[in-house]
Amino acid sequence: AMAPVPAPERAYFAYGAMLSPDTLRRRGLSLSPGRPAILRDHRLCFDHRAGFGNLVNTGAEASNGSSTAPAPLDVHGVIYRVDEGDWARLLKSEVGYRVVSVDVELYDSEGGAQEVVSASAFVSDPALRILVPSGDPREPKPTARYLDLIQSGAAFHQLDEDYQDWLRGLDTVPKVPREYLDTRRDRITKAGVLAVLASLLAAYVSHL
């Protein structure tokens, strides 16, 4: 009999809560052991709606006039090998994100960078990024619970110690502030609701 053809897999770069084995279990994902990797010239920000993680290209950040702050210019995470079924589950769970292709460097045995791998990563849909008055994507802070998932995942995968120190030093918020729900899509939705209410009110008044 012909041997079964292996299911195609894709390399997936995780950098947020998906670093945590607890998150994987909760989402019913059985991914391959993660391999630590570095995404150069990007910054981990928390400007996705409700303060979730996002990858911000540091070149794009500079062009927005953002001020310089002491934070890594690279993002550390892990590469998982994902089959079609788990990839479909990931797509369903990562609401408000779009998929981009990134080139990441796998750690070598000493913790430095080595082989470059092309991988898929989730970044915020621009319409679902928090509308920060200053325009600086580094201003929003993660919730303590969300950051704990990233920190525990980083420790589990033994990511770069300096990067882990940076994660441990981040400020958090106890719960999601109302302004973290202010995105372009939220404003469009609210404007649409107000327009409907205004037309209903006008119709009602016209029948008085």
Side-chain angles (χ1 to χ4, degrees), residues 130-145:
I130 300 168
L131 292 169
V132 184
S134 71
D136 190 336
R138 288 166 291 188
E139 281 192 14
K141 299 176 176 61
T143 62
R145 179 180 176 279

Side-chain angles (χ1 to χ4, degrees), residues 22-79:
D22 290 341
T23 304
L24 298 182
R25 278 194 292 272
R26 276 200 307 274
R27 296 190 183 183
L29 297 165
S30 53
L31 304 186
S32 63
R35 295 190 62 187
I38 307 169
L39 175 61
R40 301 288 185 192
D41 302 321
H42 284 73
R43 190 188 299 279
L44 172 61
C45 293
F46 301 93
D47 66 333
H48 184 76
R49 190 180 192 275
F52 289 111
N54 183 31
L55 295 175
V56 175
N57 185 298
T58 51
E61 181 185 283
S63 69
N64 287 337
S66 299
S67 59
T68 302
L73 294 177
D74 304 317
V75 178
H76 292 249
V78 296
I79 289 289

Side-chain angles (χ1 to χ4, degrees), residues 89-109:
R89 280 185 279 277
L90 273 169
L91 288 173
K92 187 179 288 188
S93 67
E94 297 290 347
V95 178
Y97 287 87
R98 56 192 178 92
V99 179
V100 297
S101 181
V102 294
D103 290 332
V104 298
E105 301 172 19
L106 298 174
Y107 284 22
D108 62 21
S109 55

Side-chain angles (χ1 to χ4, degrees), residues 101-168:
S101 181
V102 294
D103 290 332
V104 298
E105 301 172 19
L106 298 174
Y107 284 22
D108 62 21
S109 55
E110 277 76 48
Q114 50 157 357
E115 177 189 351
V116 175
V117 172
S118 182
S120 297
F122 290 99
V123 300
S124 283
D125 179 326
L128 283 170
R129 293 179 69 179
I130 300 168
L131 292 169
V132 184
S134 71
D136 190 336
R138 288 166 291 188
E139 281 192 14
K141 299 176 176 61
T143 62
R145 179 180 176 279
Y146 180 64
L147 183 60
D148 182 64
L149 290 172
I150 300 175
Q151 291 170 338
S152 62
F156 177 82
H157 293 289
Q158 299 181 331
L159 297 188
D160 176 78
E161 271 301 324
D162 289 341
Y163 190 75
Q164 288 195 58
D165 284 344
W166 175 73
L167 289 172
R168 284 190 284 266

Side-chain angles (χ1 to χ4, degrees), residues 178 181-183 185-196:
R178 184 185 300 175
L181 305 178
D182 184 20
T183 67
R185 185 168 298 173
D186 287 286
R187 290 190 181 186
I188 290 168
T189 301
K190 286 174 187 171
V193 170
L194 289 174
V196 169

